[in-house]
Amino acid sequence: MAKGKTVFISFKNELDGKATQEAKVAEEINARLKKMRINTYMMNARAFGLGSSYFKKEIDDALEDSSCMVVIGSDRSSLESGWVRYEWDTFLNEILAGRKQGDIFTVRLQNFEVSDLPIGLRRYQSFDSKNYEQLYMWINSALSKKSVSKNTRKYQFLYNAVFTKREQGGYDVFFPDLAISTDGKNISEAYMYAKGLLKAYFEYVLKYDIDFAKPKTYEYYAQEYPDKIIMMVDAIIEQKESNKI
């Protein structure tokens, strides 16, 4: 595994001796990330037969090497089952303690709502089974983040974008909190243009010390635009502490 560029996939492997739905989705996500040439780690069910000391060390080593985690669950109990809870809780604590920079994404199966996630996971981006393409975009973005030098301040802005499919093809993208918009010939291109627009917007805001609207929640816009695709888009801006951008 390439240190710092690995995606750790966490899920409950078996239930009553049978592969879980989470395991099947994990295989699907793992295969797609491999096609994207992204390093992944997911525990093979056979490894559990080698003893707890063996797979605990393997899990700890993989967590150390990972900068991104995908946690898959069909309900709260599946996310709080023994090793799944250990994996995301350990990863989260390392981030909160400042010992690791990383991102956590949850994938919710069936009718699992964001509000039912364990509280530690609610602060992070979550996807339902219809939004896997968005998940891959977010993972790619997370792994592309550059390290920041000690004399550089990093700002992260996270806003909801509304994607509207055009009859003639392509997508329009609108940030309702900021009243700015862009478009793209497909959803992937529209997403990347939206990221570029958001970054350019906040580079301007920081340079000229302009006030800006605070973002409303994802749930708010999901209700406001029930027939649209809502994605949370982030912009990371690095600014030397002694200079303006």
Side-chain angles (χ1 to χ4, degrees):
M1 291 180 289
K3 189 169 184 178
K5 290 294 184 180
T6 297
V7 177
F8 191 112
I9 304 175
S10 179
F11 60 98
K12 187 173 183 177
N13 249 299
E14 294 183 349
L15 180 64
D16 298 328
K18 297 181 181 179
T20 62
Q21 183 183 2
E22 288 90 335
K24 296 175 183 178
V25 171
E27 291 285 359
E28 177 186 337
I29 292 173
N30 183 59
R32 175 61 184 274
L33 294 177
K34 291 290 188 185
K35 287 185 179 179
M36 296 169 64
R37 299 191 177 184
I38 293 174
N39 293 302
T40 63
Y41 173 86
M42 54 182 284
M43 175 61 75
N44 189 306
R46 291 190 297 272
F48 287 96
L50 300 176
S52 60
S53 60
Y54 171 85
F55 60 74
K56 182 179 185 302
K57 182 180 185 308
E58 183 175 329
I59 288 172
D60 287 346
D61 289 344
L63 289 171
E64 182 73 27
D65 286 341
S66 300
S67 61
C68 186
M69 175 176 279
V70 177
V71 188
I72 305 168
S74 57
D75 54 29
R76 184 162 182 152
S77 65
S78 66
L79 297 183
E80 294 188 329
S81 60
W83 286 104
V84 177
R85 177 66 190 239
Y86 173 81
E87 290 162 358
W88 66 257
D89 204 32
T90 300
F91 195 83
L92 177 60
N93 285 334
E94 289 296 296
I95 294 173
L96 296 178
R99 292 186 292 266
K100 174 186 281 292
Q101 287 188 335
D103 293 272
I104 301 176
F105 305 114
T106 56
V107 174
R108 295 172 287 107
L109 309 182
Q110 300 175 5
N111 297 316
F112 192 11
E113 299 292 337
V114 172
S115 58
D116 294 327
L117 289 168
I119 192 168
L121 295 176
R122 285 181 214 159
R123 70 178 70 192
Y124 295 98
Q125 182 68 19
S126 186
F127 305 89
D128 60 29
S129 57
K130 300 176 183 178
N131 294 318
Y132 289 165
E133 198 63 36
Q134 299 175 34
L135 168 67
Y136 304 132
M137 293 178 190
W138 273 77
I139 290 173
N140 188 67
S141 175
L143 295 179
S144 299
K145 293 176 183 176
K146 298 179 180 179
S147 59
V148 181
S149 61
K150 291 183 179 179
N151 65 340
T152 301
R153 183 177 299 162
K154 181 171 74 171
Y155 298 89
Q156 182 176 31
F157 300 95
L158 188 63
Y159 279 78
N160 292 288
V162 180
F163 288 69
T164 303
K165 190 172 184 178
R166 298 189 298 237
E167 291 185 4
Q168 67 273 28
Y171 285 82
D172 293 318
V173 189
F174 176 61
F175 289 93
D177 293 307
L178 305 172
I180 56 176
S181 60
T182 185
D183 58 29
K185 63 184 179 183
N186 53 51
I187 196 165
S188 297
E189 182 179 276
Y191 176 83
M192 296 312 297
Y193 284 162
K195 283 180 67 68
L197 174 65
L198 193 65
K199 183 174 182 181
Y201 178 87
F202 279 106
E203 284 177 342
Y204 181 82
V205 162
L206 290 176
K207 182 175 182 179
Y208 294 105
D209 195 23
I210 298 171
D211 291 334
F212 57 91
K214 298 297 187 291
K216 293 184 177 67
T217 65
Y218 175 90
E219 289 76 15
Y220 175 86
Y221 283 116
Q223 292 181 0
E224 191 77 5
Y225 300 95
D227 299 325
K228 308 290 185 183
I229 298 172
I230 312 297
M231 290 197 214
M232 296 190 74
V233 179
D234 74 324
I236 296 185
I237 299 171
E238 299 172 12
Q239 178 184 27
K240 289 187 177 180
E241 293 184 356
S242 58
N243 299 306
K244 288 285 187 181
I245 292 177

